[in-house]
Amino acid sequence: MLIGYARVSTLEQDVTLQTDALQQAGCERIFQDKISGAKADRPGLQEALNYARSGDSIVVWRLDRLGRSLKHLIETVGQLEEQGIGFRSLQESIDTTTSGGRLIFHIFGALAEFERNLIRERTIAGLEAARARGRLGGRPKKLDAKKTELAYQLYDEKKYAVKEICHMLGISKPTLYACLARRNQEEHLKGKQSIRK
């Protein structure tokens, strides 16, 4: 059985073009969504996936109607394949029930994996180059040495509430508490070292 899925991004757009093409392709049931492709929660797609059984095929007018991204598309088709459900895209002439269609889809998967590896390699190379120039990754610290000392002083004086100290220094409560925790650790370590001497 061929099960159609049509999606448009906004309520103003019309799915007629897609549903007509899906009916001409022989779809017996058509599910629809009027929702952005970027949204993870698509009730129509979920209904189509729940309705499909082994031996059926999910049919879309174009690849971008199904997947939010290439990664999402490959994951969805992979899940369908595990359940014995085929996938067809009319515009791209892809049909995973044929050996040629499966080959094309595996090439897509390999390209997506290649792209992820390239991004990972570029990120690592960029971080190494930055370290070589003396720059460390991560966010800049909110508290430099002067601000840290001021934070300790304001906190120890007990004149101001934690909220007020944070407002004065332009930091969050967790940042202040992390700073105080570091001081306690340092003092604890110093105490241990003086006992050993």
Side-chain angles (χ1 to χ4, degrees), residues 9 16 24 86 145 163:
S9 299
T16 310
Q24 283 178 356
K163 192 175 180 181

Side-chain angles (χ1 to χ4, degrees), residues 151 154-178 180:
L154 292 169
Y155 185 80
D156 293 340
E157 284 175 359
K158 294 185 176 27
K159 288 182 185 175
Y160 304 99
V162 167
K163 192 175 180 181
E164 292 173 304
I165 296 169
C166 292
H167 183 71
M168 283 188 267
L169 296 172
I171 59 172
S172 65
K173 285 183 186 180
T175 301
L176 177 62
Y177 288 129
L180 294 169

Side-chain angles (χ1 to χ4, degrees), residues 56-69:
D56 293 344
S57 281
I58 298 280
V59 185
V60 293
W61 178 63
R62 217 171 57 199
L63 281 174
D64 66 352
R65 300 299 87 195
L66 180 71
R68 299 193 308 270
S69 63

Side-chain angles (χ1 to χ4, degrees), residues 25-111:
C27 292
E28 295 174 43
R29 255 327 268 278
I30 297 173
F31 296 87
Q32 300 177 24
D33 274 320
K34 290 194 176 188
I35 195 165
S36 166
K39 301 276 185 195
D41 184 34
R42 291 190 269 169
L45 176 59
Q46 200 52 57
E47 278 182 59
L49 297 175
N50 292 341
Y51 186 81
R53 297 289 173 259
S54 181
D56 293 344
S57 281
I58 298 280
V59 185
V60 293
W61 178 63
R62 217 171 57 199
L63 281 174
D64 66 352
R65 300 299 87 195
L66 180 71
R68 299 193 308 270
S69 63
L70 182 57
K71 180 176 182 278
H72 177 253
L73 184 67
I74 289 164
E75 284 172 3
T76 305
V77 174
Q79 289 167 359
L80 291 173
E81 209 171 80
E82 284 171 17
Q83 296 167 35
I85 299 166
F87 170 72
R88 280 178 63 189
S89 174
L90 302 177
Q91 290 293 301
E92 290 85 2
S93 301
I94 292 173
D95 183 351
T96 63
T97 61
T98 68
S99 54
R102 277 195 300 278
L103 173 65
I104 290 168
F105 218 82
H106 287 301
I107 290 169
F108 281 176
L111 288 172

